[in-house]
Each structure stands twice: as C-alpha cells, then as structure tokens.
Amino acid sequence: MDNSTMVTEFLLLGSPDGWDLSFLYFTVFPMTYLGTLLGNLLIVTVTTADQNLHTPMYFFLRNLSILDMCFISITVPNACINSLTGNRAISVTGCATQIFLVIFCASVELLFLTIMAWDRYVAICQPLQYFLIMNPQLCVRMTLASLLSGLLYAGVHTGNTFWLSFCKSNVVHQFFCDVPSLLRLSCSDTTSNKVLILVSAVVICGGCFLLIVVSYFRIFSAVLKFPTRAPGKAFSTCTPHILVVSIFLSSITGVYLRSSATSDTLEDMVLSAFYTMVPPFLNPLLYSLRNKQVKDAVRRLMGRHISLLLEHRKIEYILKF
C-alpha cells in the first residue's frame, strides 16, 4: 500500500467506450435541467405568494421543490460544462462534496416523499383531525428531522468511502462522483462499505417504500368505501406518485446494489440519470401542476401582476400629461 501511487484527483467519464453521449449533454440534460428549475421555481413562487396554499400539503411541496432544484443542480450543470470544455478532472475534495450532496438530497427526497404520502393519508382518511395532527410545529419538526437525518446519512457514507485508499485508476465510470464507482477504484477492502450500503438500503429505502405503499393502500381503501370521494381521481393522483417513487428507488437500488462484476458503464449512467433527474423533473407535474388549486393560484398570481402592470402604465401615461 505504501508503495502505491495515491490518487490526487479523479477523471469523470464523459461517454462509455463506443458511445457518443454528446446529444444527451447538449440537448436532453440542459432541457431537463431548465424544465426542472422553471417548474419547481413556479411551485415555490405560487405556494409562497398565495395565502390559500399555506397548508401542510403545500408546505411540504415547497420544500420538495427547493430540494429538487438543488438535487439536479449538483450533477447536471457540471456534467454539461465538462462535456463542453473537455475538462473532466475533479479534485478529491470536490468529489467528496459531490457524493455528500447527492446522498443528502436523495435521502431527504425519499423522506419528504414518505411524509407527503402520510400527509395525504391523514387528509383523506382523517379529515376532521387533519389540521390538529398536521399542525405547523409538527410539519417543521418533520422537515428538520429529515434534513438532519440526511446530513447524518450522507456524512456516514461519504466518510466511510473516503476512509479507503485509492491507488488504482482514477477514472470514475460515471458522469458524477458516486459511491459505487469509487469503491471499484479502491485498493482497500470494501466489504464493510458494501454491507453498510445493503443494510441502509433495506432499512431506509425499504422502510420508506413500505410506508408510502401502506399510506396509499389505506387511501385507496378509504376512497372505495365512499364513492362520493371520486375514487377515479384518487387513483389518477396517487398512481403517478407511486410510479415516480418506484422509478427513483429501483434506479438508485440498481446503481448501488449491483455487483461490480456484472456492472455495465452505460447502464449505470442511465440508471444514475433516472434517480438524479427524473423525480426532480416530474414532481412539479405530478404533485402540483395537475392540481386545480395550484392552477387557480397561478391564474390569480398572473392576473394580479397584469393588473399591477396596467396600473403602472396608466400612472405613467397620466404623469406625461
């Protein structure tokens, strides 16, 4: 180990051998990134400006939108810039920071989605007690608990990864730094790292997914008992949410739990793009922009701005004379 040349920087992989992914980096990635920022920024603006949306549901939606903008900003802009400039180098510190932020955002995303599923269960199955249960103090505490849990979770995995020695190739077979790619470059024993990933995936990812499924199952059961609550609407709303969560968890599980012996670089990159880009892009569409209350709030906000603009121009016209 002492005679080995230690890695001082890493090189991110632009495209796997035999593949030209410039189309993704110059079209799909920037368009997805821009759409994600605009959609989530709209949600944050509307839910903040409209007093009618100051409820627990939209409080969590606003937090999720802020998180999604941060999540996709960690990987996509850097990947596009690297592809444009041809500079694929990233320092060890930069790599550690990227891993920490990706794990933090991914874990908090999952916790937020779980809380939001439970919030919908309380709203539909216990409507008379909804505001008593989902009081502002509880909402803030759950948010802070999610953020602190994400910090702890990301810190443990990042620290456990960079405790290893890297003395093999410094080429990370991914468009951003992630734990599985670095484990393949380590010349240390990575058994404990893999066990930690497996245990945390089963406990945290499996536990959150189970809570989400149970919440929506109870929602479906309650709605089917009362036809007046429009079961078709509940199914059309909840099913896409479960679909996005399934895509998120299946892709992240595929990246982190696959054997390195059977790992394919292109497939890893595609799965990584799915869990870092698809949920942030789809969440505004599924959780808010299909929602009548949000649409009405957008119309009110636009109407208010148009009225202010017309009033301002009217005043300017009067002052001219």
Side-chain angles (χ1 to χ4, degrees):
M1 185 81 70
D2 294 334
N3 296 329
S4 301
T5 302
M6 303 305 293
V7 172
T8 57
E9 68 175 10
F10 295 102
L11 295 178
L12 299 175
L13 188 66
S15 300
D17 293 338
W19 292 87
D20 182 9
L21 301 184
S22 57
F23 174 76
L24 291 177
Y25 292 123
F26 293 116
T27 55
V28 178
F29 277 26
M31 290 176 63
T32 303
Y33 180 64
L34 182 61
T36 300
L37 290 186
L38 291 177
N40 284 289
L41 187 60
L42 177 63
I43 299 306
V44 172
T45 303
V46 170
T47 56
T48 302
D50 196 299
Q51 294 291 329
N52 296 322
L53 301 184
H54 288 187
T55 63
M57 173 184 174
Y58 295 104
F59 170 78
F60 291 121
L61 278 174
R62 181 163 58 250
N63 291 335
L64 182 67
S65 294
I66 295 172
L67 179 70
D68 282 338
M69 288 189 288
C70 297
F71 193 8
I72 198 170
S73 297
I74 297 168
T75 58
V76 174
N78 187 62
C80 295
I81 292 172
N82 288 348
S83 179
L84 181 65
T85 61
N87 180 19
R88 300 185 291 122
I90 183 171
S91 66
V92 173
T93 303
C95 189
T97 302
Q98 195 171 51
I99 284 180
F100 178 86
L101 293 175
V102 167
I103 296 176
F104 169 76
C105 288
S107 58
V108 176
E109 173 105 3
L110 182 58
L111 292 172
F112 277 176
L113 292 174
T114 305
I115 292 172
M116 290 168 65
W118 182 70
D119 171 76
R120 290 298 83 207
Y121 157 71
V122 176
I124 294 175
C125 299
Q126 303 180 48
L128 298 180
Q129 297 179 306
Y130 176 67
F131 288 102
L132 180 63
I133 296 174
M134 301 300 295
N135 57 75
Q137 292 81 8
L138 180 63
C139 293
V140 172
R141 287 172 186 169
M142 288 193 293
T143 301
L144 292 177
S146 299
L147 295 174
L148 292 175
S149 300
L151 288 173
L152 179 62
Y153 185 74
V156 169
H157 280 284
T158 305
N160 202 38
T161 300
F162 283 88
W163 182 261
L164 303 171
S165 297
F166 301 98
C167 52
K168 297 180 181 179
S169 169
N170 68 336
V171 178
V172 179
H173 289 264
Q174 190 57 269
F175 65 91
F176 64 94
C177 283
D178 69 344
V179 173
S181 298
L182 290 187
L183 293 184
R184 299 184 191 110
L185 304 181
S186 176
C187 51
S188 304
D189 183 12
T190 60
T191 303
S192 62
N193 299 75
K194 294 176 181 177
V195 170
L196 178 62
I197 291 174
L198 177 61
V199 171
S200 60
V202 172
V203 173
I204 297 177
C205 296
C208 288
F209 183 70
L210 181 62
L211 288 173
I212 291 172
V213 171
V214 169
S215 297
Y216 283 128
F217 177 78
R218 290 184 175 181
I219 290 173
F220 293 151
S221 300
V223 170
L224 289 174
K225 293 178 183 177
F226 303 98
T228 55
R229 293 191 180 183
K233 182 179 180 181
F235 276 98
S236 66
T237 301
C238 297
T239 303
H241 301 172
I242 296 176
L243 179 61
V244 171
V245 172
S246 300
I247 292 174
F248 178 63
L249 287 179
S250 59
S251 57
I252 200 171
T253 301
V255 171
Y256 278 78
L257 298 185
R258 289 175 66 197
S259 171
S260 58
T262 60
S263 180
D264 177 75
T265 302
L266 180 61
E267 190 173 342
D268 283 346
M269 294 179 71
V270 171
L271 289 174
S272 296
F274 264 88
Y275 86 79
T276 56
M277 296 171 60
V278 173
F281 178 75
L282 291 181
N283 281 339
L285 299 175
L286 298 179
Y287 282 97
S288 298
L289 299 182
R290 295 170 70 243
N291 186 300
K292 186 177 184 298
Q293 285 182 294
V294 175
K295 290 180 180 178
D296 293 340
V298 171
R299 294 191 190 99
R300 286 195 296 270
L301 190 63
M302 292 179 62
R304 195 181 308 156
H305 280 286
I306 291 173
S307 298
L308 289 174
L309 181 62
L310 292 176
E311 186 68 23
H312 180 68
R313 291 189 174 181
K314 181 179 179 181
I315 293 174
E316 286 183 341
Y317 178 79
I318 293 174
L319 290 176
K320 287 181 179 179
F321 297 93

